[in-house]
Amino acid sequence: MTQATPREPRAGRAFLWGTATAAYQIEGAYNVDGKGPSIWDTFTHTPGKTERGETGDVACDHYHRWEHDLDLMAEMGLRAYRFSLAWTRILPQGRGTVNPAGLDFYDHLVDGLLARNIVPFVTLYHWDLPQALQDKGGWVNRDTARSFQDYADVVTRRLGDRVKNWITLNEPFIAADHGHVSGEHAPGLHDYTLYFPVTHHLLLAHGLGLQPIRENVNGAQVGIAFSLAEIQPATDRDEDIEAATRCDAYMNGAYLESTLRGRYPALIAEQMPIDLIQSGDMATISGKTDLIGINYYMRLLAQAAPTAYGGFTIAPWPPGPRTEMGWEQYPAGLATWVRRLATDYPDHDLYITENGAAFSDTLDDAHQVHDPQRVNYLREHTRAALTALAAMDARLKGYFVWSFLDNFEWAYGTRPRFGLVYTDYATQARYIKESGRWYARLIEAGAPDDI
Ligand code: GCO
């Protein structure tokens, strides 16, 4: 009797297959209906900051086209949709006066999702800090954490009866590092010493934000969407192994351990300025959460660099398949994260809150986009995640493709295309790509190898 080949693990009917976006990357309408300026409006309007000087002033014009976009999500059979709120659409100055039109927009968006049986996952902060708060020091200023708490209160009072799944922060490491150390993101600062206060105040904002979410949302499920690269030593030399430990602490441990265990990794804690952590902060930062968001794109190979910030640099990947961003395709790293988090934090639900890839998509005369590379990428990564789920009996509850549609990729502008849906920026027409049709079949089948 030949052994039947084991079928690939299948996601259950309750598994939330979805897509993810962010306000600044898709909405446009940057100064419409009372919205105030964010640091990304300021950054992209500053010459030299973005490829081709592009801005998110229009982006995908989702602000005006959201109903058609929701129809496309329903056509693909999405079960969930992760999106972020533009803080300055709701509180144009960051705190104080509320802009009713901003709350109305998200109110209608949530109702539109629910009407299509799509579960909303709302990200409160996806990097677009109000410029008015940046003018007072931004995340370097501890008060910004309090402003975030007020913002979370305003939003959850309005949406908390219908939105149960909340992501406080998207990728705090990227916000801290790219915004304040490398300067490639808004607000475009270049000072590695800012990593510590910005990290701490972002996490304090998360902890303070938990309070209104718990008060205003019955049955809230809340957590952070962490940028989780799998860190490996570039070689088996002791110094590179040590460099990988340092890199993992800076990029991952500083955020996971502080919020989930109430302490920074020793390497980080010992560098924190004395007066930065105030009494009670770590208890606030590690307030109870329910879910862990995994934003996974790549592994990183760390190598020793004694004079570099953090004592490490990132080595080039070995030859192999790449995405349009030049990123190595490494699905095994996603499985590693599912296993690691299921082991370390068994009391939390896990969601892959972002995973996807940019490829050079072209629209043919029939308005079709044949993107077999993206289909293969998604097949490999969903297979890796579901295999880890089965092996660990992990509480992996959902997977969100980055992204629903092609959108504004920060400093790269609109050139990189990550979407399951093609955005024709000249006409703002949308066309579901081959990968979007494949994803719809995956949602039906539940297992990537069945389609
Ligand atoms: C991120 C952000 C997204 C990006 C996506 C592709 O993870 O960097 O959450 O806004 O657009 O990851 O780089």
Side-chain angles (χ1 to χ4, degrees), residues 60 62 65 68-69 72 405 421-423 428-432:
C60 306
H62 176 73
R65 301 167 188 271
H68 175 55
D69 288 336
L72 289 172
L405 80 173
V421 173
Y422 185 94
T423 306
Q428 288 295 351
R430 277 82 154 126
Y431 303 99
I432 298 177

Side-chain angles (χ1 to χ4, degrees), residues 75-356:
E75 186 178 339
M76 291 195 288
L78 298 189
R79 294 181 182 159
Y81 173 54
R82 177 185 171 229
F83 62 99
S84 79
L85 311 180
W87 186 338
T88 55
R89 226 182 263 291
I90 295 162
L91 289 157
Q93 295 304 309
R95 61 188 316 174
T97 307
V98 172
N99 175 32
L103 278 175
D104 290 346
F105 171 68
Y106 294 112
D107 207 65
H108 298 146
L109 184 63
V110 166
D111 286 343
L113 287 164
L114 297 175
R116 295 165 175 84
N117 296 316
I118 298 172
V119 178
F121 275 61
V122 173
T123 306
L124 284 166
Y125 185 68
H126 204 124
W127 305 348
D128 44 354
L129 185 73
Q131 183 60 48
L133 297 180
Q134 186 64 38
D135 293 345
K136 297 171 187 167
W139 291 111
V140 178
N141 182 347
R142 184 182 172 96
D143 288 348
T144 301
R146 284 284 174 204
S147 299
F148 179 84
Q149 183 180 47
D150 292 347
Y151 160 55
D153 185 47
V154 166
V155 163
T156 50
R157 284 176 187 276
R158 179 67 175 269
L159 302 177
D161 61 324
R162 289 154 287 158
V163 177
K164 301 303 175 188
N165 300 285
W166 294 88
I167 305 288
T168 53
L169 304 177
N170 180 75
E171 302 193 352
F173 167 71
I174 300 294
D177 179 81
H178 288 30
H180 302 82
V181 179
S182 71
E184 63 197 282
H185 280 187
L189 302 179
H190 297 268
D191 177 351
Y192 79 92
T193 65
L194 298 182
Y195 165 89
F196 299 100
V198 169
T199 290
H200 187 67
H201 295 151
L202 275 165
L203 295 172
L204 185 62
H206 158 76
L208 291 171
L210 292 175
Q211 294 158 27
I213 292 171
R214 295 290 183 212
E215 286 160 15
N216 300 336
V217 183
N218 289 329
Q221 297 294 294
V222 56
I224 291 178
F226 299 94
S227 52
L228 295 176
E230 192 206 345
I231 312 300
Q232 297 177 358
T235 72
D236 58 7
R237 295 182 313 155
D238 289 346
E239 56 268 38
D240 288 343
I241 293 169
E242 199 273 338
T245 302
R246 301 175 65 84
C247 180
D248 190 58
Y250 269 89
M251 294 190 179
N252 301 323
Y255 305 91
L256 287 167
E257 294 184 37
S258 52
T259 54
L260 295 163
R261 294 213 166 114
R263 66 171 191 278
Y264 287 109
L267 171 67
I268 303 299
E270 70 197 21
Q271 299 183 74
M272 284 277 182
I274 297 293
D275 58 352
L276 182 62
I277 303 175
Q278 296 185 13
S279 168
D281 283 1
M282 299 316 292
T284 299
I285 286 171
S286 57
K288 180 185 176 304
T289 50
D290 312 283
L291 63 89
I292 297 173
I294 304 169
N295 285 8
Y296 177 80
Y297 291 93
M298 62 188 79
R299 69 169 167 174
L300 292 174
L301 301 174
Q303 62 188 4
T307 59
Y309 149 61
F312 62 87
T313 57
I314 301 300
W317 291 293
R322 296 282 192 272
T323 73
E324 180 76 6
M325 299 296 283
W327 300 346
E328 179 192 49
Q329 299 185 39
Y330 192 76
L334 180 54
T336 301
W337 271 113
V338 171
R339 287 194 298 268
R340 175 173 165 185
L341 295 169
T343 303
D344 293 352
Y345 308 105
D347 61 341
H348 277 69
D349 287 341
L350 305 180
Y351 290 89
I352 296 166
T353 34
E354 284 180 32
N355 178 240

